[in-house]
Amino acid sequence: GIQQAYVPMFVGGLAVADIVGTCSPVDDIKAPVWDTTRLHQVEALGGGTVVIDRDTGNLKEHIHVSVGRKHQGAVGYTSHLLGATVQFVIEMTLVEVLAPRMDRMPDADLYGVPLLGWGE
């Protein structure tokens, strides 16, 4: 029943994490990257926002995450979290926002990236 919230922090282990990233050449270094990088067995720390899409009624999550691959010297990655499978447990704080109404709308001046804003 939560319509909008923010996640100030979460921490835990992920069996699989899909994050935004690419090893391919890009034409515009300032433009968003839409490719997915899949990582396995990582420790994660992140936060973000959750809003309801007014048109579809679906959740629109915007989560940033830093993950480390502990079996590879704790090498780290930081990006947008696209999806994940929790390994054992995630400790998360979710703070419901009752008002004002939060929304995520595309900004044509920023490659159409949806930005968090305040609605009615």
Side-chain angles (χ1 to χ4, degrees):
I2 293 176
Q3 297 294 303
Q4 56 188 22
Y6 68 94
V7 179
M9 188 192 75
F10 68 88
V11 63
L14 303 174
V16 177
D18 289 337
I19 64 173
V20 171
T22 187
C23 290
S24 300
V26 294
D27 294 328
D28 183 350
I29 196 72
K30 295 179 183 176
V33 172
W34 302 110
D35 293 352
T36 300
T37 296
R38 176 163 281 180
L39 303 169
H40 296 272
Q41 307 305 315
V42 297
E43 295 294 320
L45 175 71
T49 59
V50 178
V51 299
I52 297 292
D53 184 310
R54 292 183 188 199
D55 296 328
T56 67
N58 296 329
L59 287 176
K60 290 168 113 177
E61 311 89 2
H62 184 201
I63 306 292
H64 285 247
V65 65
S66 290
V67 298
R69 300 175 93 179
K70 58 186 172 186
H71 62 281
Q72 291 182 325
V75 65
Y77 299 81
T78 300
S79 194
H80 291 85
L81 182 64
L82 299 172
T85 302
V86 174
Q87 184 172 5
F88 298 116
V89 66
I90 289 285
E91 297 173 5
M92 176 185 287
T93 302
L94 181 83
V95 179
E96 184 176 16
V97 176
L98 300 177
R101 175 88 178 165
M102 294 165 39
D103 204 355
R104 191 166 291 289
M105 300 297 295
D107 186 322
D109 294 331
L110 295 173
Y111 303 94
V113 172
L115 300 178
L116 185 65
W118 305 104
E120 302 166 10

